[in-house]
């Protein structure tokens, strides 16, 4: 870790019930959490209010997605305004599951980011290559192209955290090595320096996601350009999530 305050997000994805979330919130409320870390959890939309009502203010709430513009006749969507209204501070955009399962493209995601920021929702902007892209030596190309779509839409990077999540490491138990992650984080930072500004490059946190758990977090956290984590599966267990939060170096 080297840039800004360490940041750990828990992406609960499409998991949980009222009961399991009551237990998870109780465990998070009981956990001893390092003070020098920004902590965010992203429950499914329908549980956001329950979590907001019961979770310690120490942890901020994120949505897992938001609509591209102002609300209205968009069946099934949730707008950035509504998320702010209900107490969300953050939104995750461009997650690989939305890119590759739902089919959202780079430009669509970039526009969502711009709209969310315009409504004062902070953005966790996700990028990452698929296995075949890594094997074809295209990791940087893919990540830079995804970064460009964000950069084309974003003018103020103060409220943006970048999450590098190699698709082959998500939910697979196959974590990137600290060196593999560091290599991409550094390349993304260099990209920001060349294409946005030196200031944005040195102040924007770049966090890693993909099979992070209580055992592998410390080695990853030691890397110079890994400024935190976006955690999926392991964020569903309060005590393990606390270990990851506390891996701040
Ligand atoms: O957004 C977090 C993520 O995609 C990683 O998921 O389950 O591999 O930690 P997981």
């Amino acid at each position: 870790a080297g840039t800004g305050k360490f940041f750990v997000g828990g992406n609960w994805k499409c998991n949980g019930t009222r009961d399991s979330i009551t237990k998870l919130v109780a465990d998070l409320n009981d956990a001893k959490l390092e003070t020098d870390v920004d902590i965010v959890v992203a429950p499914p939309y329908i549980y956001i209010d329950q979590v907001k009502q019961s979770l310690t203010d120490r942890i901020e709430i994120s949505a897992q997605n938001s609509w591209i513009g102002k609300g209205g006749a968009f069946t099934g969507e949730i707008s950035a305004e509504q998320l702010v209204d209900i107490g969300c501070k953050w939104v995750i955009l461009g997650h690989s599951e939305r890119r590759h399962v739902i089919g959202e493209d780079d430009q669509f995601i970039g526009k969502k980011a711009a709209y969310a920021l315009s409504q004062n929702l902070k953005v966790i902007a996700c990028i990452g290559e698929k296995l075949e892209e890594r094997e074809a030596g295209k990791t940087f190309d893919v990540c830079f192209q995804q970064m460009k779509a964000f950069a084309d839409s974003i003018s103020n990077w103060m409220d943006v955290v970048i999450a590098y999540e190699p698709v082959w490491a998500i939910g697979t138990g196959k974590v990137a090595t600290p060196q593999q992650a560091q290599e991409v984080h550094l390349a993304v930072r260099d990209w920001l320096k060349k294409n946005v500004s030196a200031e944005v490059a040195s102040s924007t946190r770049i966090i890693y996601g993909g099979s992070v758990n209580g055992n592998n977090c410390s080695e990853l956290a030691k890397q110079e350009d890994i400024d935190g984590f976006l955690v999926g599966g392991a964020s569903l267990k309060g005590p393990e999530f606390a270990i990851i939060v506390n891996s701040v170096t």
Side-chain angles (χ1 to χ4, degrees), residues 48-62:
I48 288 176
D49 194 45
Q50 178 191 337
V51 174
K52 176 73 192 157
Q53 303 298 329
S54 53
L55 183 65
T56 165
D57 289 345
R58 168 75 186 88
I59 301 178
E60 292 188 324
I61 297 181
S62 175

Side-chain angles (χ1 to χ4, degrees), residues 69-219:
K70 198 168 151 45
F74 303 105
T75 303
E77 291 296 333
I78 304 284
S79 69
E81 294 90 322
Q82 290 172 322
L83 294 172
V84 170
D85 181 44
I86 205 169
C88 277
K89 295 275 193 287
W90 294 85
V91 61
I92 298 171
L93 292 172
H95 192 279
S96 86
E97 286 142 21
R98 296 216 62 90
R99 291 178 186 272
H100 304 305
V101 184
I102 320 284
E104 294 189 10
D105 68 25
D106 291 352
Q107 279 65 33
F108 187 68
I109 295 161
K111 286 190 188 137
K112 282 187 172 191
Y115 191 75
L117 290 166
S118 79
Q119 300 305 307
N120 297 320
L121 208 49
K122 301 181 199 183
V123 171
I124 301 170
C126 303
I127 60 168
E129 82 289 358
K130 296 195 252 183
L131 182 60
E132 61 261 35
E133 293 164 338
R134 172 163 284 262
E135 285 173 343
K138 292 189 183 143
T139 298
F140 290 173
D141 291 348
V142 171
C143 291
F144 294 169
Q145 192 184 318
Q146 293 169 345
M147 282 301 299
K148 182 174 186 314
F150 280 120
D152 285 347
S153 296
I154 293 173
S155 46
N156 177 5
W157 288 79
M158 251 172 43
D159 292 335
V160 179
V161 168
I162 296 165
Y164 169 57
E165 299 205 333
V167 180
W168 47 272
I170 297 177
T172 56
K174 198 169 180 280
V175 66
T177 65
Q179 294 69 29
Q180 282 174 322
Q182 166 61 24
E183 184 187 32
V184 179
H185 284 226
L186 179 60
V188 169
R189 205 177 296 289
D190 281 345
W191 187 92
L192 281 171
K193 198 171 180 180
K194 288 193 195 96
N195 296 279
V196 182
S197 74
E199 200 203 331
V200 166
S202 65
S203 62
T204 302
R205 289 169 291 183
I206 306 174
I207 64 175
Y208 169 80
S211 297
V212 174
N213 62 36
N215 293 319
N216 59 31
C217 55
S218 301
E219 283 305 308

